[in-house]
């Protein structure tokens, strides 16, 4: 991956702009809880009212949601996921240096921004989930935003040795629909961390097979799987294969480090990951660490 434009670590007093590029917010309480966490770090969220915006199932028209991304603030913090951010990639987004925080549907924006050569994207808690995150997860995010190096993450080792490469995280479903577009960052030698929610094992199989047919999985230096919440087979359908079997079989012949069950995804304890930063994935120890 070519050299990227770096993001300057935040300092107390820096402003935060709320971005609502996806689904409409259900209420304002969880958003305010997330903003309160940022205020506790000395950051200054701008006064905004994204909770009231509605355009069908989205948090405003495409123009309104696109305008969120054009705000001048060191940190753009996404309110929630759902669906809608990929629609904004049809517009010409002029990405600016700084930080962009979110995950799930926000994968589209994180990937597009990384492809444009900007560091500072963080695959991590949304404003509507940040307040409920455990203390270690909140602290990990604070460390990344303020230029500190957080501790390594532990997962389930699946072998393959050790590799170092740029870190790329994604929601599997969202990223699968970006393949073939102009918004896919360089995957050659990268460490890819995937997560998802509410997808049956056969659909996970279908998406990973698409990645294989595109040659995308074969380019990776290493792969880690976060949490796949609600993605295992139904007890009422015992003939369906398991999620674990799909993940193992679709990566068995890649001959790269593989780690499963990392604390990343649609769970309480969603570890923040800096997009594009050099990281080390150890398939024998089951660890993911960042280069200082």
């Amino acid at each position: 991956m070519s050299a990227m434009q770096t993001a300057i670590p935040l300092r107390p007093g820096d402003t935060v702009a709320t971005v609502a590029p996806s689904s409409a917010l259900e209420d304002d309480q969880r958003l305010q809880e997330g903003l309160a966490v940022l205020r506790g770090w000395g950051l200054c969220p701008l006064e905004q009212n994204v909770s009231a915006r509605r355009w069908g199932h989205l948090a405003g028209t495409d123009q309104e949601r696109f305008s969120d991304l054009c705000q001048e603030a060191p940190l753009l913090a996404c309110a929630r996921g759902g669906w809608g951010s990929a629609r904004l990639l049809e517009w010409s987004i002029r990405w600016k240096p700084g930080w962009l925080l979110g995950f799930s549907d926000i994968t589209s924006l994180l990937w597009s921004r990384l492809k444009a050569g900007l560091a500072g994207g963080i695959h991590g808690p949304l404003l509507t989930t940040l307040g409920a995150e455990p203390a270690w997860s909140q602290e990990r995010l604070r460390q990344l935003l303020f230029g500190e190096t957080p501790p390594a993450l532990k997962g389930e080792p699946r072998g393959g040795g050790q590799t170092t490469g740029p870190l790329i995280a994604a929601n599997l479903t969202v990223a699968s629909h970006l393949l073939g577009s102009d918004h896919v960052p360089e995957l050659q030698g990268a460490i890819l961390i995937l997560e998802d929610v509410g997808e049956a094992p056969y659909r996970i199989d279908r998406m990973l097979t698409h990645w294989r047919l595109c040659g995308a999985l074969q380019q990776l230096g290493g792969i880690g799987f976060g949490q796949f919440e609600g993605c295992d087979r139904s007890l009422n359908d015992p003939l369906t294969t398991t999620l674990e079997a799909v993940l193992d079989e679709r990566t068995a012949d890649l001959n790269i480090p593989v780690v499963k069950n990392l604390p990343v995804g649609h769970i309480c304890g969603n570890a923040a990951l800096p997009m594009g930063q050099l990281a080390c994935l150890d398939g024998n120890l089951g660890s993911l660490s960042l280069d200082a």
Side-chain angles (χ1 to χ4, degrees):
M1 187 174 294
S2 58
M4 294 187 296
Q5 189 165 357
T6 58
I8 299 174
L10 296 182
R11 297 177 297 177
D14 281 341
T15 56
V16 180
T18 299
V19 178
S22 303
S23 294
L25 276 69
E26 297 172 358
D27 58 64
D28 194 58
Q29 179 178 347
R30 291 194 299 165
L31 174 66
Q32 294 304 320
E33 291 171 354
L35 292 172
V37 173
L38 300 184
R39 290 191 185 97
W41 299 341
L43 300 176
C44 301
L46 301 173
E47 291 295 328
Q48 296 168 269
N49 188 25
V50 299
S51 299
R53 290 194 332 219
R54 294 288 189 280
W55 190 61
H57 62 284
L58 300 173
T61 65
D62 287 349
Q63 178 63 66
E64 287 176 312
R65 292 179 295 109
F66 175 79
S67 295
D68 283 353
L69 299 175
C70 302
Q71 297 178 88
E72 296 286 347
L75 170 61
L76 302 180
C78 294
R80 68 159 295 184
W83 161 249
S85 68
R87 293 173 57 104
L88 304 183
L89 300 184
E90 296 186 49
W91 300 58
S92 180
I93 302 176
R94 297 183 63 182
W95 294 111
K96 303 172 184 176
W99 300 89
L100 174 68
L101 171 64
F103 84 112
S104 192
D105 187 58
I106 309 306
T107 293
S108 295
L109 303 179
L110 291 171
W111 274 38
S112 179
R113 194 175 184 279
L114 185 61
K115 176 63 181 294
L118 279 79
I122 294 185
H123 182 281
L126 298 154
L127 286 177
T128 50
T129 65
L130 179 58
E133 285 290 299
W136 70 263
S137 175
Q138 293 180 354
E139 173 61 12
R140 179 183 178 86
L141 175 59
R142 188 202 65 78
Q143 289 173 324
L144 287 174
L145 290 172
F146 283 78
E148 304 169 23
T149 301
L153 297 176
K154 292 292 292 183
E156 177 187 340
R158 302 302 290 178
Q162 183 184 99
T163 189
T164 299
L167 184 61
I168 300 176
N171 174 271
L172 174 59
T173 297
V174 176
S176 295
H177 287 86
L178 293 177
L179 294 178
S181 76
D182 294 329
H183 303 282
V184 179
E186 177 60 55
L187 297 175
Q188 187 67 47
I191 295 173
L192 178 67
I193 310 298
L194 295 172
E195 64 83 31
D196 218 322
V197 60
E199 297 288 352
Y202 81 90
R203 293 200 290 266
I204 302 293
D205 188 322
R206 180 166 59 199
M207 287 185 280
L208 290 177
T209 298
H210 177 54
W211 282 68
R212 291 172 64 92
L213 292 174
C214 291
L217 282 189
Q218 294 88 334
Q219 298 179 45
L220 300 175
I223 188 167
F225 293 109
Q227 302 301 301
F228 283 70
E229 189 71 11
C231 292
D232 217 336
R233 68 182 180 187
S234 169
L235 295 177
N236 298 323
D237 190 10
L239 297 181
T240 300
T241 189
T242 65
L243 170 67
E244 182 174 4
V246 169
L247 299 183
D248 286 344
E249 190 277 331
R250 292 285 75 189
T251 58
D253 62 349
L254 297 178
N255 297 316
I256 59 175
V258 178
V259 175
K260 292 169 60 178
N261 205 29
L262 288 163
V264 174
H266 288 73
I267 53 167
C268 187
N270 177 20
L273 299 174
M275 302 286 285
Q277 184 168 332
L278 281 180
C280 177
L281 185 73
D282 194 318
N284 297 333
L285 295 178
S287 65
L288 173 66
S289 58
L290 301 176
D291 279 11

